[in-house]
Amino acid sequence: MSIRSFCKNLPLAMKVVIIIAILFLLYTVCGFFIAPPIVKSKLMSGLREQIGRKVVVEKIKLNPLALSFTMKGFEMSELNDERFFSFEEMYVNFQFSSLFRSAFTFAEIRLIAPDGQVKIMPDGQFNFSDLIPAPPVNDTSKEQSSIFPPVFVSQLKIEQGRIAFTDLSHPTPFKTTVFPLQVSLENFSTERDAVGQYLFTAKTREGEGVSCEGDISINPLVAHGKLALAGIKTNTLWKYIQDQVSFVISDGFIDMDTRYSIDMSGETIHLKLVDGAMQLEGLELVEKENMNPVLSIPSLSVKGIDIDLSNKKAVVAAVYLKKMRFQDSLDKDGIMHSQKLFFPEGSSGEGGQFSITNTTDSEDRKWSFTLNEMKMEDSRIVIENDTLTETQKVKLEPVNVNLKGVSNEKDSKMEVTLDLGLNDTGSVKMKGHAGLN
């Protein structure tokens, strides 16, 4: 009996089963073995054509049964062929439920060991500026509210990420590396008002840590949660501005944590920091030219930081400063010497003018600031006056100050208590009220 006659005598149901089995076999073979090299070739050539950079992909795997896509060994080069971005593996698991959700639905997206090189070039441009598309010409005929395609991701993870940051626009190049960088995002959706949960953690090679967690919606952008900085070295911050100042910060670190909320659903950005706290330890600031000590802060504690950006309001519950040491001089030109360290000649901050402006009810509303209490204990301030024929030195030690109700609100009064030792021979004590009008 021939195959044709055999198939002709089969029941219709059996024929359907055989056809489905053959199609399934072809689908499986194509998905596992034939499609991956084709997708790899098309992907590499397409990316090279679109971005004008060299792109290499080591391997692509498709699982047509699980609807998953795996890419391994991805690397993108800069225009000078240096490595710009790479990752060990990207895994994407698509879901059949997309047919019922009216959205592209993914059970999991996972990126392992992404490694990026971010550079600010000597001309101030980023090393990825060529990848940023030009802004579209204003078109009032198109609605901008539907910018997000419908997407739902049950779980998104970035593991063991690394970012090397280099700024070559400064006379002294600044370099730092963030590793490891971890991101976890659950129930992410571009649907309007959909809320997902996120966790972000990162450390620098100096051991400084950043963590942020909370809820987020991107349509519109609304988020709230907790932000924490741990062990941020003041010397690292100084290195970034060292060519713009005439002082050196040799030591010190900062810890900070706060609750935050941001709402960009309207025309105005609403940003609030609530119940923030900051701890500064071991700050040492010296003059760059001769390494003379200028400022020493063994311990500074700030608690109850509330900042409302949209309402231009800041409230601090308490500031506690202990054993501060400050040394300065009034130069012959009548300018404090420390001012020149922060605003050296030719810098953008030349002049260093500072003023406190009272709040008004005008449309151009100024910032309102309130400090409930500030304590300075067991500190020392030394000022030399070089404007006179003979240099005169004023030494205040110990310096004990207690201020309550400090505010730039018009007609506000604060309680002031001072207890100062003067030149090792006398003292100054004062208690009363004062205003900043």
Side-chain angles (χ1 to χ4, degrees):
M1 180 183 294
S2 65
I3 296 177
R4 177 179 296 181
S5 60
F6 173 77
C7 294
K8 188 176 181 179
N9 295 326
L10 286 176
L12 179 61
M14 182 62 69
K15 292 180 181 180
V16 172
V17 171
I18 292 175
I19 292 173
I20 292 176
I22 293 174
L23 291 176
F24 178 77
L25 180 61
L26 291 174
Y27 169 77
T28 303
V29 171
C30 289
F32 277 108
F33 303 106
I34 299 176
I38 298 175
V39 172
K40 175 183 173 181
S41 176
K42 293 294 184 181
L43 180 64
M44 291 174 58
S45 60
L47 286 175
R48 288 173 183 172
E49 182 179 347
Q50 288 292 324
I51 65 179
R53 296 188 176 203
K54 182 180 178 181
V55 175
V56 176
V57 177
E58 179 183 328
K59 186 177 182 180
I60 283 182
K61 291 173 59 179
L62 298 176
N63 187 332
L65 304 181
L67 292 182
S68 66
F69 168 90
T70 303
M71 183 191 304
K72 293 187 177 182
F74 176 89
E75 184 172 319
M76 180 191 299
S77 301
E78 295 190 27
L79 295 176
N80 59 3
D81 289 336
E82 292 184 3
R83 183 170 56 85
F84 168 63
F85 177 72
S86 65
F87 57 78
E88 288 185 7
E89 180 178 304
M90 180 174 68
Y91 173 79
V92 179
N93 189 352
F94 190 70
Q95 292 290 282
F96 273 118
S97 59
S98 298
L99 301 175
F100 311 102
R101 296 181 64 101
S102 299
F104 298 106
T105 305
F106 301 88
E108 182 180 6
I109 297 177
R110 184 173 67 247
L111 189 62
I112 299 177
D115 190 339
Q117 307 288 326
V118 178
K119 296 179 183 178
I120 300 179
M121 309 308 291
D123 60 359
Q125 295 292 318
F126 283 98
N127 61 332
F128 53 83
S129 296
D130 61 297
L131 300 177
I132 302 175
V137 179
N138 291 333
D139 187 355
T140 56
S141 65
K142 294 182 179 180
E143 291 290 337
Q144 298 298 318
S145 59
S146 59
I147 188 172
F148 298 107
V151 175
F152 177 81
V153 182
S154 181
Q155 187 175 70
L156 184 150
K157 285 187 176 182
I158 299 176
E159 301 176 356
Q160 296 297 308
R162 179 181 178 274
I163 297 177
F165 174 75
T166 304
D167 191 340
L168 301 174
S169 65
H170 296 184
T172 304
F174 176 83
K175 297 181 180 181
T176 190
T177 302
V178 178
F179 177 83
L181 185 151
Q182 314 270 49
V183 177
S184 176
L185 184 59
E186 295 184 357
N187 300 321
F188 171 81
S189 176
T190 59
E191 294 180 2
R192 186 164 184 83
D193 299 324
V195 178
Q197 297 76 44
Y198 78 95
L199 171 64
F200 170 87
T201 62
K203 282 191 175 182
T204 69
R205 64 182 180 185
E206 290 83 10
E208 302 154 315
V210 179
S211 65
C212 191
E213 62 178 316
D215 299 331
I216 186 170
S217 166
I218 69 163
N219 186 18
L221 181 56
V222 178
H224 59 86
K226 297 179 180 179
L227 170 67
L229 308 177
I232 305 299
K233 296 183 179 180
T234 54
N235 178 256
T236 302
L237 303 177
W238 168 80
K239 286 179 180 178
Y240 195 71
I241 62 169
Q242 60 179 302
D243 298 310
Q244 285 76 50
V245 296
S246 296
F247 61 82
V248 175
I249 297 180
S250 59
D251 202 2
F253 66 89
I254 299 172
D255 290 335
M256 190 190 82
D257 63 83
T258 184
R259 290 185 290 117
Y260 79 93
S261 64
I262 182 170
D263 186 342
M264 298 179 63
S265 58
E267 296 182 357
T268 303
I269 299 177
H270 295 274
L271 172 63
K272 290 184 179 180
L273 303 182
V274 181
D275 198 24
M278 186 193 76
Q279 187 71 33
L280 171 63
E281 299 283 349
L283 175 68
E284 295 289 341
L285 187 150
V286 298
E287 193 170 351
K288 186 182 292 186
E289 183 177 349
N290 50 31
M291 300 304 289
N292 286 336
V294 178
L295 178 65
S296 172
I297 301 180
S299 178
L300 170 64
S301 177
V302 184
K303 297 181 179 180
I305 304 172
D306 294 343
I307 299 176
D308 187 338
L309 180 65
S310 58
N311 291 318
K312 295 185 177 181
K313 185 176 182 180
V315 178
V316 177
V319 175
Y320 182 41
L321 179 60
K322 190 174 182 180
K323 292 186 177 181
M324 181 197 74
R325 301 292 183 261
F326 179 67
Q327 186 168 325
D328 203 354
S329 63
L330 185 63
D331 291 346
K332 294 185 182 298
D333 56 8
I335 299 177
M336 298 302 294
H337 188 66
S338 60
Q339 181 177 337
K340 299 177 181 179
L341 302 183
F342 285 87
F343 303 102
E345 186 176 355
S347 73
S348 59
E350 186 175 359
Q353 299 298 322
F354 175 77
S355 63
I356 297 177
T357 305
N358 292 323
T359 58
T360 66
D361 294 328
S362 66
E363 293 183 3
D364 186 19
R365 183 155 41 99
K366 307 300 181 182
W367 271 86
S368 168
F369 173 78
T370 301
L371 171 59
N372 293 336
E373 184 173 17
M374 192 279 283
K375 284 185 178 181
M376 180 190 299
E377 294 184 350
D378 198 19
S379 297
R380 180 175 69 209
I381 300 175
V382 179
I383 305 292
E384 293 184 355
N385 188 349
D386 293 329
T387 62
L388 305 176
T389 305
E390 294 185 5
T391 300
Q392 299 291 325
K393 178 185 289 187
V394 177
K395 177 182 176 183
L396 302 176
E397 185 180 17
V399 176
N400 297 298
V401 180
N402 190 356
L403 306 178
K404 293 183 179 181
V406 182
S407 174
N408 67 335
E409 293 283 353
K410 189 174 179 60
D411 298 325
S412 64
K413 299 294 182 181
M414 60 179 170
E415 296 182 22
V416 181
T417 303
L418 299 178
D419 187 355
L420 313 174
L422 179 60
N423 290 340
D424 297 325
T425 59
S427 64
V428 177
K429 295 185 179 183
M430 185 179 75
K431 187 174 184 179
H433 293 83
L436 297 177
N437 286 356

